[in-house]
Amino acid sequence: MRIPLIAGNWKMFKTTKEAVAFAEEFKKLYKDTDVRAAICAPYTQLTALKAAFEGTGIAVGAQNVHFEVQGAYTGEISSAMLEEIGVDYCIVGHSERRQYFNETDETVNKKLHQLFSTEIVPILCVGEVLEERDAGKEFEVVKTQMEGALAGLTGDQVSRLVVAYEPVWAIGTGRTASPEQANEMCAYIRKVIEDLYDEEVCDRVIIQYGGSVKPSNATEIMNMDEIDGALVGGASLIPADFMEIINF
Ligand code: PGA
């Protein structure tokens, strides 16, 4: 049985003071449900959020990590640094990092290898841009991203993975993929994992949809058979909205 995961991606929003205020408000609304909730926040907010959410079951994630164990990489953060402060998840390969920070399938793959040497669960983001969908290439693009990301990983490792299908044209645009489009790609991603590994592995992977998920569309997205959760950007910044999505 896969436990759905609804994760907020705060991107570069909220100071620590604002993050703590969010946590205090969110905790008042939060009731333990069958859904796992997480907030992926900027690095400087992680320790405060871990402390604020202690004992609640609400998990905390980072949004990036470096692929080396340690070294002369000014400005970077290692998986051991994240693990030390109790980070539960780490987003890898978000389209904004692919677009603005030269993230490639190769660096995504190295980051997954590095995270799997810790207890941190990676949330691997994949998804096509609009031109690729318009050209009918979305499956090909996502398959290439998946195969590149998973190269050299074992079935045991991949069975712990979370994948977020985020069509780039639906991120922050208010334009959601239809539940059917999202469901179709999530099913396809599971098939790609089955072809690379086996049924047991692909049955365990949590596959989320992300891109303009909000209270008004969460129910129909979450009720799709192949969708095990959501990666939520804008709507995760507001406690009541994020809680409504969790309660879909
Ligand atoms: P959005 O962002 O919900 O604001 O579209 C999703 C994401 O980038 O993960």
Side-chain angles (χ1 to χ4, degrees), residues 52-138:
F53 289 148
E54 205 187 331
T56 61
I58 303 163
V60 171
Q63 301 171 8
N64 185 35
V65 67
H66 196 268
F67 51 75
E68 293 291 351
V69 176
Q70 60 179 11
Y73 301 104
T74 302
E76 291 294 321
I77 296 282
S78 75
S79 60
M81 294 169 189
L82 297 177
E83 193 174 43
E84 183 187 39
I85 57 167
V87 165
D88 306 286
Y89 294 96
C90 182
I91 297 174
V92 177
H94 190 280
S95 62
E96 287 149 16
R97 296 213 59 85
R98 294 180 192 255
Q99 187 180 351
Y100 305 124
F101 302 100
N102 302 321
E103 191 84 89
T104 63
D105 290 338
E106 197 188 336
T107 55
V108 165
N109 176 248
K110 288 182 178 176
K111 290 177 181 192
L112 293 183
H113 277 273
Q114 187 52 43
L115 286 169
F116 279 125
S117 72
T118 71
E119 293 296 310
I120 300 169
V121 174
I123 301 178
L124 163 66
C125 298
V126 295
E128 79 286 357
V129 299
L130 189 57
E131 300 77 65
E132 291 163 341
R133 179 161 282 264
D134 286 346
K137 289 190 172 153
E138 66 272 27

Side-chain angles (χ1 to χ4, degrees), residues 9 11 91 94-96 125 166 170-174 210-213 231-235:
N9 172 16
K11 311 191 180 191
I91 297 174
H94 190 280
S95 62
E96 287 149 16
C125 298
E166 298 205 310
I171 295 178
T173 58
S212 299
V213 175
L231 188 56
V232 185

